[in-house]
């Protein structure tokens, strides 16, 4: 591990001052410390923000929820309002990492976590994300777990967060605080596709902090859920996943939100699938028909062609689980 300085911020002003001077924010540290041990990340200065008052889950006036960026994954998943109003969030969190990690890791850190591409974590391999311009060892290497959507010739790594898939489906927003004040970014614009600059991963300005993540109000009754398909049943990242949110009234689907994970360089929303569902009555045939479009635009690599069919089946199964069948 490379040498670094450590400061604990007592309030947001101290944190922002240190961030402006190039300090790197750390809270639970469950990703960053690993990467520092492997010398993938070499920050010269760490700013511990874990004491900032950003841990609450609060109801918004419009009927949504705001989750503090420093709320731990485990406590967020167990929060009664999250469980009742947005089960897709609780399920995505509980299917992530391990119990120990969920007790340490924060909501903000979960969104900010970096890819699990093995070449990214191997400092001897070419990786444009770690070292811009060095190449991408995964393009012609072993790429079974890599992305099939949103890829570029510069990077094909997936975003590893389950929570992010649920946030994409719910059309959440991210509240930020920086030296120039507060601003809000739709979650759909917060995580960046790699393009020619895969080292640039979030729409953050220098020294900005995530303060809360807001889940908007959705029409009720709302059914939602998260399905994760992986090589083993715990402590593993998704090969494919699906977050489905449905508003069904009078036997007709009035609103549908679907996002998938394990397949995109960012959580991948499926507007074509959503459009096909709205105005229809739930049925086995409808789920299958809609899911056929789940992999539209996919560009599979040598070892992950199986993800195209697996993705369609994942979406079909989760639509059926959340929406029921007749
Ligand atoms: Fe690096 Fe992305 Fe290529 Fe992985 S896929 S080696 S993260 S550039």
């Amino acid at each position: 591990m490379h040498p670094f300085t450590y400061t604990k911020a007592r309030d947001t002003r101290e944190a922002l001052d240190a961030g402006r001077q190039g300090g790197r924010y750390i809270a639970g540290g469950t990703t960053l410390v690993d990467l520092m041990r492997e010398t993938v990340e070499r920050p010269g200065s760490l700013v511990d923000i874990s004491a900032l008052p950003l841990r609450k889950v609060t109801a918004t006036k419009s009927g949504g929820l705001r989750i503090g960026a420093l709320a731990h994954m485990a406590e967020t998943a167990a929060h009664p309002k999250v469980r009742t109003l947005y089960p897709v969030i609780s399920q995505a969190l509980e299917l992530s990492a391990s119990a120990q990690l969920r007790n340490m890791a924060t909501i903000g850190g979960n969104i900010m976590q970096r890819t699990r591409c093995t070449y990214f974590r191997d400092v001897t391999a070419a990786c444009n994300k770690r070292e811009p311009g060095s190449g991408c060892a995964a393009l012609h290497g072993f790429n079974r777990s890599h992305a099939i959507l949103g890829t570029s010739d510069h990077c094909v790594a997936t975003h590893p967060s389950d929570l992010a898939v649920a946030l994409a489906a719910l059309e959440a927003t991210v509240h930020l605080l920086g030296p120039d004040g507060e601003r809000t970014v739709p979650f759909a614009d917060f995580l960046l596709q790699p393009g020619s600059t895969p080292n640039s991963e979030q729409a953050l300005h220098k020294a900005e902090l995530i303060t809360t993540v807001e889940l908007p109000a959705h029409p009720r009754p709302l059914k939602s859920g998260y399905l994760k398909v992986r090589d083993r049943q715990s402590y593993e990242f998704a090969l494919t996943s699906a977050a489905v949110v449905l508003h069904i009234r009078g036997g007709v689907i009035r609103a549908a939100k679907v996002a998938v994970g394990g397949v995109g360089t960012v959580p991948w929303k499926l507007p074509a699938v959503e459009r096909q569902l709205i105005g229809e009555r739930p049925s086995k045939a409808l789920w299958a028909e809609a899911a056929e479009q789940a992999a539209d635009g996919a560009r599979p690599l040598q070892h992950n062609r199986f993800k195209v069919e697996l993705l369609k089946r994942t979406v079909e199964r989760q639509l059926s689980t959340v929406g029921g069948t007749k």
Side-chain angles (χ1 to χ4, degrees):
M1 195 182 273
H2 283 247
F4 59 90
T5 61
Y6 170 89
T7 320
K8 185 151 186 165
R10 286 170 296 185
D11 53 37
T12 46
R13 178 171 292 279
E14 274 189 14
L16 293 178
D17 283 348
R20 218 174 2 216
Q21 288 161 36
R24 181 75 183 272
Y25 298 131
I26 186 167
T30 53
T31 296
L32 183 55
V33 173
D34 274 357
L35 292 171
M36 288 171 67
R37 281 206 188 104
E38 291 162 3
T39 69
V40 173
E41 295 256 22
R42 286 173 270 184
S45 158
L46 288 186
V47 185
D48 185 344
I49 57 170
S50 59
L52 303 187
L54 299 172
R55 205 168 153 182
K56 285 189 184 154
V57 176
T58 48
T60 64
K61 283 185 187 152
S62 58
L65 278 186
R66 276 177 81 153
I67 303 172
L70 294 175
H72 292 151
M73 291 171 69
E75 65 191 5
T76 305
H79 193 284
K81 279 202 174 342
V82 177
R83 285 197 101 76
T84 313
L85 298 174
Y86 303 98
V88 65
I89 295 285
S90 291
Q91 290 170 21
L93 288 168
E94 285 171 348
L95 289 167
S96 305
S98 65
Q100 292 87 344
L101 288 167
R102 293 194 295 271
N103 283 332
M104 280 297 290
T106 63
I107 295 302
N110 183 287
I111 300 166
M112 294 288 292
Q113 69 180 291
R114 307 202 69 191
T115 183
R116 261 58 188 183
C117 171
T118 50
Y119 301 105
F120 171 72
R121 286 169 181 252
D122 173 359
V123 291
T124 65
C127 174
N128 289 322
K129 194 182 277 297
R130 178 172 28 76
E131 202 177 321
S134 63
C136 172
L139 271 177
H140 303 291
F142 186 59
N143 44 38
R144 177 176 182 269
S145 66
H146 287 71
I148 57 174
L149 291 159
T151 56
S152 74
D153 291 342
H154 301 269
C155 182
V156 291
T158 54
H159 191 278
S161 166
D162 296 297
L163 171 65
V165 181
L167 293 176
L170 289 166
E171 296 172 355
T173 51
V174 184
H175 293 261
L176 304 169
L177 176 66
D180 297 328
E182 295 179 36
R183 67 186 182 109
T184 302
V185 179
F187 190 70
D189 300 331
F190 184 72
L191 297 174
L192 306 178
Q193 293 183 39
S196 58
T197 54
N199 54 310
S200 180
E201 296 176 324
Q202 301 92 15
L204 277 171
H205 298 162
K206 184 175 168 67
E208 269 185 328
L209 278 169
I210 302 174
T211 54
T212 56
V213 174
E214 181 168 345
L215 310 177
H218 286 271
R220 302 280 162 181
L222 194 71
K223 293 174 159 194
S224 72
Y226 185 72
L227 173 65
K228 181 173 183 178
V229 178
R230 46 190 165 168
D231 282 329
R232 58 182 183 195
Q233 272 308 304
S234 76
Y235 201 43
E236 185 57 279
F237 293 93
L239 289 169
T240 57
S241 70
V244 169
V245 180
L246 297 175
H247 169 50
I248 303 173
R249 192 165 38 83
V252 174
I253 301 167
R254 312 283 173 170
K257 311 283 178 193
V258 184
V260 292
V263 288
T265 52
V266 294
W268 206 256
K269 197 89 166 10
L270 300 179
V273 172
E274 295 170 353
R275 278 194 298 273
Q276 182 136 10
L277 298 171
I278 294 168
E280 302 292 335
R281 291 183 175 274
S283 72
K284 270 177 125 169
L286 177 67
W287 308 141
E289 213 176 300
E292 262 310 301
Q293 299 168 75
D296 283 2
R299 290 175 54 197
L301 302 159
Q302 185 183 359
H303 304 114
N304 67 8
R305 291 183 202 287
F306 72 97
K307 283 194 177 186
V308 171
E309 185 59 27
L310 186 61
L311 176 60
K312 293 179 189 176
R313 293 187 191 194
T314 304
V315 170
E316 181 182 348
R317 185 171 139 197
Q318 190 58 0
L319 285 171
S320 167
T321 302
V322 173
T325 48
K326 286 187 176 172

